Amino acid sequence: MTTADVSARLAWPDDAAAIVRVQLASWQANDAVPAPELEALDPALLAERWATLVSSPVDARLRVLVALERADVRGFALVHPSYDPDSDQVTDGEIGELVVDPGHQRAGHGSRLLQAAVDTLAADRFTRARWWVTSTDDALRSFVTESGWAPDGAHRELAGDSGATVKQLRLHTTLA
């Protein structure tokens, strides 16, 4: 029986261009960024920023993880201390972003990334994790709640450059 060559690991600076490719594909597929703003983005500049974030994070507990199929990046996650005003940055970690390439969803990459993110937060001695999700992203919210996360009642609205607002709700879980 042949098995797929899939994994999740900490990102390397050389993964930056692939992370940007996944991020831009996701934004485009989900209409998360208006087309004119998306077209104005410079992928090389974004890759440089991701490479810097991976190689020189502002906090040692800020980590980027990638989901791989063979050597191809299929998704990424960003974990870090929670910076919410009601958080304790020693005990509360956060999944800041978890994205799977739209063309490779439903292949287990999201589950691997989520498990790697939770394991990484626990290894950094966080005891709770938080995750802000867009209120209209039913698929992501369902995936997260089926993985044991629950809403904690917090919500917020973020204003984008175009003036549009994004409503988010916060989910949480206890880390073992």
Side-chain angles (χ1 to χ4, degrees):
M1 173 185 230
T2 305
T3 59
D5 182 8
V6 293
S7 61
R9 63 162 167 78
L10 288 172
W12 303 331
D14 289 349
D15 294 325
I19 291 170
V20 170
R21 180 188 46 76
V22 169
Q23 186 174 43
L24 293 177
S26 174
W27 288 349
Q28 185 175 28
N30 297 317
D31 294 322
V33 177
E37 290 180 32
L38 194 59
E39 292 167 10
L41 293 173
D42 179 357
L45 179 60
L46 293 173
E48 183 179 311
R49 289 180 181 168
W50 275 106
T52 299
L53 185 68
V54 169
S55 62
S56 303
V58 295
D59 185 306
R61 299 168 301 160
L62 186 152
R63 304 185 195 263
V64 181
L65 304 147
V66 291
L68 301 172
E69 183 173 351
R70 293 183 176 71
D72 297 323
V73 172
R74 299 299 190 207
F76 70 92
L78 175 68
V79 298
H80 51 78
S82 177
Y83 301 113
D84 293 338
D86 63 343
S87 293
D88 178 341
Q89 291 181 18
V90 173
T91 59
D92 297 331
E94 182 173 326
I95 296 179
E97 196 165 5
L98 190 147
V99 177
V100 175
D101 185 310
H104 296 279
Q105 292 179 347
R106 304 222 178 269
H109 302 300
S111 296
R112 270 186 296 286
L113 272 176
L114 178 55
Q115 188 61 55
V118 167
D119 288 347
T120 300
L121 290 168
D124 283 337
R125 298 193 174 152
F126 292 111
T127 57
R128 292 182 297 249
R130 295 175 169 188
W131 189 351
W132 287 98
V133 298
T134 304
S135 63
T136 57
D137 193 340
D138 295 336
L140 177 61
R141 194 172 59 255
S142 176
F143 168 69
V144 177
T145 56
E146 287 172 8
S147 298
W149 296 62
D152 68 4
H155 61 279
R156 67 183 181 189
E157 285 190 29
L158 302 176
D161 293 338
S162 64
T165 60
V166 174
K167 294 180 181 181
Q168 294 184 316
L169 58 97
R170 189 173 65 192
L171 303 175
H172 72 110
T173 192
T174 301
L175 302 172

